[in-house]
């Protein structure tokens, strides 16, 4: 039987694990890019974050983290998609979803750009 109880401090600190921090930061940046209008902002920081060079750097960093340590952790940690076990399902989700997202951004970028015109600039890997 599962009961909701206060978590001990070491269990709460597991949210500071690299995988959780990487997922949270990437999701926050994705939401910021979707919600904010960088081009018409009068705040200098918003214009800086909206610049092409910063977008490229953040995208490449996200690509590296998602397809490097997070994707390798699926095999290294022996993740298994067991729907009746929340811990296994969440572990697969936080390690596999970022790489699936970057796969979609890379190989289906024309569909994303046509659906959200002007929002995502996904041609960073075209010269590669």
């Amino acid at each position: 039987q599962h009961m909701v109880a206060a978590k001990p401090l070491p269990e709460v600190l597991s949210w500071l694990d690299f995988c959780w921090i990487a997922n949270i930061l990437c999701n926050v940046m994705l939401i910021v890019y979707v919600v904010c209008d960088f081009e018409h902002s009068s705040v200098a920081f918003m214009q800086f974050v909206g610049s092409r060079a910063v977008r490229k750097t953040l995208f490449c960093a996200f690509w590296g983290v998602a397809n490097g340590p997070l994707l390798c952790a699926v095999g290294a940690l022996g993740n298994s998609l067991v729907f009746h076990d929340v811990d296994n399902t969440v572990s697969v989700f936080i390690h596999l979803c970022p790489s699936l997202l970057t796969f979609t951004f890379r190989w289906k970028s024309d569909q994303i750009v046509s659906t959200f015109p002007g929002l995502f600039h996904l041609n960073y890997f075209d010269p590669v």
Side-chain angles (χ1 to χ4, degrees), residues 9 11 13-14 23 28 40 43-45 50 85 94 103 105 117:
L9 187 59
E11 199 168 318
L13 291 178
S14 69
N23 273 280
V28 165
H40 300 98
V43 180
F45 176 74
D85 187 2
I94 68 165
F103 177 86
F105 275 173

Side-chain angles (χ1 to χ4, degrees), residues 78-83 85-93:
N79 293 141
S80 57
L81 189 57
V82 181
F83 292 111
D85 187 2
V86 175
D87 290 337
N88 280 333
T89 305
V90 169
S91 183
V92 169
F93 178 78

Side-chain angles (χ1 to χ4, degrees), residues 27-103:
N27 284 319
V28 165
M29 284 308 299
L30 186 62
I31 290 169
V32 165
Y33 276 111
V34 169
V35 172
C36 294
D37 184 12
F38 293 104
E39 295 173 2
H40 300 98
S41 177
S42 61
V43 180
F45 176 74
M46 296 294 275
Q47 291 173 349
F48 170 73
V49 174
S51 72
R52 182 164 174 76
V54 173
R55 281 178 176 249
K56 181 178 181 179
T57 302
L58 289 174
F59 182 77
C60 291
F62 176 52
W63 177 271
V65 169
N67 294 303
L70 290 180
L71 187 59
C72 291
V74 173
L77 297 177
N79 293 141
S80 57
L81 189 57
V82 181
F83 292 111
H84 62 273
D85 187 2
V86 175
D87 290 337
N88 280 333
T89 305
V90 169
S91 183
V92 169
F93 178 78
I94 68 165
H95 291 107
L96 195 58
C97 281
S99 60
L100 293 174
L101 179 66
T102 58
F103 177 86

Side-chain angles (χ1 to χ4, degrees), residues 2-21:
H2 299 292
M3 295 181 61
V4 177
K7 306 258 187 221
L9 187 59
E11 199 168 318
V12 172
L13 291 178
S14 69
W15 285 91
L16 295 176
D17 181 39
F18 174 77
C19 301
W20 283 105
I21 295 296

